[in-house]
Amino acid sequence: MLLTIFIYFFSANGNDSKKFKGDYSPCSPSRVIHIRKVPNEVTEADIISLGVPFGKVTNLLMLKSKSQAFLEMASEEAAITMMNYYTPVTPHLRSQPVYIQYSNHRELKTDNLPNQSRAQAALQAVNTGQSGGLTLTGVPGSESLLLTGQSPVLRIIVENLFYPVTLDVLHQIFSKFGTVLKIITFTKNNQFQALLQYADPMNAHHAKAALDGQNIYNACCTLRIEFSKLTSLNVKYNNDKSRDFTRLDLPTGDGQPSLDATMAAAFGAPGIISSPYAGAAGFAPTIGFPQAEGLSVSSVPGALGPLALTTSAITGRMAIHGMTAIPGHSVLLVSNLNPDVILPHALFILFGVYGDVHRVKILFNKKENALVQMADATQAQLAMSHLNGQRLHGRVLRITLSKHQAVQLPREGHEDQGLTKDYSNSPLHRFKKPGSKNFQNIFPPSATLHLSNIPPSVSDDDLKRLFASTGCSVKAFKFFQKDRKMALIQLGSVEEAITAVIDLHNHDLGDNHHLRVSFSKSMI
C-alpha cells in the first residue's frame, strides 16, 4: 500500500527521508495535513480536534514513535481553511506547539495498517457527535459530554482591570481549551468585555468551567464568563478590537485602525502571541496551562484561583510559576524630551501614575533622552502604552523598552549634576500597598483630572486658582457630592493636564493634606 511504503522511509529522527522531502517544502493544497512534533501523550481525539472545526475528518494516522500524525479532511477546501487558520496561529496540543503543513499525499490509505482501531473508533465517535448535534461520547481521551443547545460563544467581562488586556492576550488564554474562531472586544458600562467564539460548544464548556472567576494577573483582571445567546459572531474587521482567525483577507476598517508600531511592540503583533518577556514584543506575563485537563499553575495566597501568577521578591513584579522575568524589561528609554525644562522629578511623577518608579536618569550628553526604571516589566509596558505619543512641554514623547538591565547610580565621588535620582524608597509610590484602590483607577492621560485628599478648608475657587497658577486653563470643576475630599477638574488640553499632574501631585494644601492628582475617565 502507498502509506505502508511511505512509513518505511521515515528516518530515525522523526523527519521524512529525502525521498519524501515534498512534505517539508511548500506543497500544493491537499486534503491530507501532515502534523509534526506531536507530544507523546496526545491521543487520536486530540489530533482530530485540530481538524473538526473546519469540516469533516475522514481519516487519521498516528505515528507516535516518530512524533508525527496525518489528518485527512473530507475536502480540499476544509484543509485550506484549516491551514489558513493555523498559519499565523501555531496550534497547541497538551500545551505543546505542533507544526502542520500540507502533505504531498492526496489521501490516506490505512486499511491494512495495524493499530488503526483507536483512530477509527475516535473518528466514528466524532462523526456521530457531529451528525447528532452537540453530543460527543466515547472519544478516547475525552469526557462524555452532553451539551444540548449550548452556544460556542462566550461573553467575557474583565473586572478590576489594572493591567491592559488585549485581544491577543485573550486568544492566548482561551485557545488552550480549543480552536478560537473569532473574538470581538468592546467597552460597555465602563467594563472591558469580549465575545469569543469557539469551533465547538465543548471547548466553550471547558473554558468557562476552568476560567470563570480566575485572575489573569495576580489579584486583578478577574474573568467573569457566561454563555452568550449568540451562536455565531459576525466580524467585519481584523484589527486590535476584533478578529476572525479564519478570514485573513478582512480589512482593518477605516475607523478602527490596527495597533501602531509601538503598541504592536508592546502587546505583540496582531495574530502572533509572543512569549512573556520575549524581546520587545513580550507583554505582561500571560497564563500557561494544559489543554482542558485541569490547571497546574500554583495557587497564590490571596489570589482568587490557580490562574493567578506568583509574586516575586521585587515589589509588584509578576512572573509565571517556574519562569523568571527579565529585569531589563522594566527600564524605558524616553526620548524627544525638552532638555531646557525636564527634570528627573517630573518623569518620576508622570510615570508614577502607571507604576512605581525606582530610578530616573537624564542622559548627560543627550538631555532630550532619559532612562526610567519601573518596579517591574508589566508596569513598564503599562506606562509605555499610555504615555508614548503624549505631549510634554511642547514635545511629543517617544518611549521604547531599553536594552539596559537597570539604571546605574553615579559612583561615589562622581557628580552628574543631579541628572540621576534613586526613588526606590519614595513615599510617593502609588502601588506599594497591596489591594490599594489605585490599582483600579489607572486611565490614559485625559484633560479631566481626579483630585483627592482635599481638606475642608479648601474651596473650589482655591483649587481653580492653584491650577491656573501653573498656566492651565480651567474649563470646569466639580466636587463629589458624597465626598468633598474628592473633585474633578477639566483643563484646556491633555498636555495641560499632564503638566498639572507633574506640578501639583503631592502639593501641600495645608492642614497636613497633600493633594493627590490622577487622570480620570469621567467627564464634567
Side-chain angles (χ1 to χ4, degrees), residues 2 105 133 202 215 222 258 272 274 285 343 353 422 448 457 477:
L2 172 65
H105 298 282
M202 182 176 67
N215 295 334
T222 307
S258 295
I272 301 171
S274 304
L343 294 171
V353 173
D422 187 356
T448 304
S457 59
F477 182 92

Side-chain angles (χ1 to χ4, degrees), residues 24 97 119 157 203 243 316 348 351 430 470:
Y24 287 88
I157 298 174
N203 304 139
R243 197 83 52 81
F348 165 67
F351 282 75
R430 296 177 187 244
T470 66

Side-chain angles (χ1 to χ4, degrees), residues 261-437:
T262 304
M263 290 290 281
F267 296 133
I272 301 171
I273 303 298
S274 304
S275 298
Y277 299 105
F283 179 54
T286 42
I287 305 161
F289 40 81
Q291 182 176 3
E293 286 202 338
L295 310 178
S296 64
V297 181
S298 298
S299 297
V300 181
L304 294 183
L307 289 190
L309 308 174
T310 57
T311 305
S312 76
I314 300 178
T315 304
R317 172 171 296 161
M318 299 173 198
I320 295 177
H321 178 67
M323 179 178 289
T324 303
I326 302 173
H329 286 234
S330 64
V331 180
L332 298 172
L333 173 62
V334 187
S335 56
N336 203 36
L337 294 164
N338 188 328
D340 298 327
V341 292
I342 197 64
L343 294 171
H345 178 78
L347 296 176
F348 165 67
I349 294 296
L350 178 58
F351 282 75
V353 173
Y354 300 105
D356 292 338
V357 177
H358 282 192
R359 292 177 181 176
V360 176
K361 181 184 185 71
I362 296 175
L363 304 188
F364 184 80
N365 293 322
K366 293 184 178 180
K367 291 188 172 61
E368 63 273 13
N369 297 324
L371 297 174
V372 178
Q373 182 178 336
M374 307 296 290
D376 62 56
T378 304
Q379 293 180 6
Q381 295 280 11
L382 191 64
M384 179 170 66
S385 67
H386 283 307
L387 295 177
N388 182 61
Q390 298 292 343
R391 295 182 66 87
L392 175 62
H393 300 312
R395 301 282 193 95
V396 177
L397 296 179
R398 298 294 177 219
I399 306 171
T400 60
L401 291 170
S402 171
K403 64 182 179 181
H404 293 282
Q405 299 290 313
V407 172
Q408 298 299 320
L409 296 176
R411 286 176 293 175
E412 192 173 345
H414 289 73
E415 228 1 277
D416 71 343
Q417 300 179 0
L419 297 177
T420 305
K421 295 289 185 181
D422 187 356
Y423 298 101
S424 301
N425 298 313
S426 172
L428 296 183
H429 285 164
R430 296 177 187 244
F431 307 105
K432 62 182 178 181
K433 186 182 297 184
S436 167
K437 289 185 178 180

Side-chain angles (χ1 to χ4, degrees), residues 42-50 52 60 118 122 126 139-142:
V42 162
T43 66
E44 287 82 355
D46 292 328
I47 296 292
I48 294 170
S49 71
L50 291 177
V52 164
L60 168 71
R118 284 176 57 88
V126 171
V139 181
S142 70

Side-chain angles (χ1 to χ4, degrees), residues 437 450-454 478-488:
K437 289 185 178 180
H450 180 274
L451 313 180
S452 61
N453 204 34
I454 304 168
K478 181 176 71 174
F479 274 114
F480 280 48
Q481 286 187 346
K482 296 182 179 180
D483 188 355
R484 282 182 60 87
K485 293 179 181 178
M486 296 191 291
L488 296 176

Side-chain angles (χ1 to χ4, degrees), residues 483-502:
D483 188 355
R484 282 182 60 87
K485 293 179 181 178
M486 296 191 291
L488 296 176
I489 188 167
Q490 184 179 336
L491 304 180
S493 68
V494 174
E495 185 176 4
E496 285 187 8
I498 288 174
T499 304
V501 168
I502 292 171

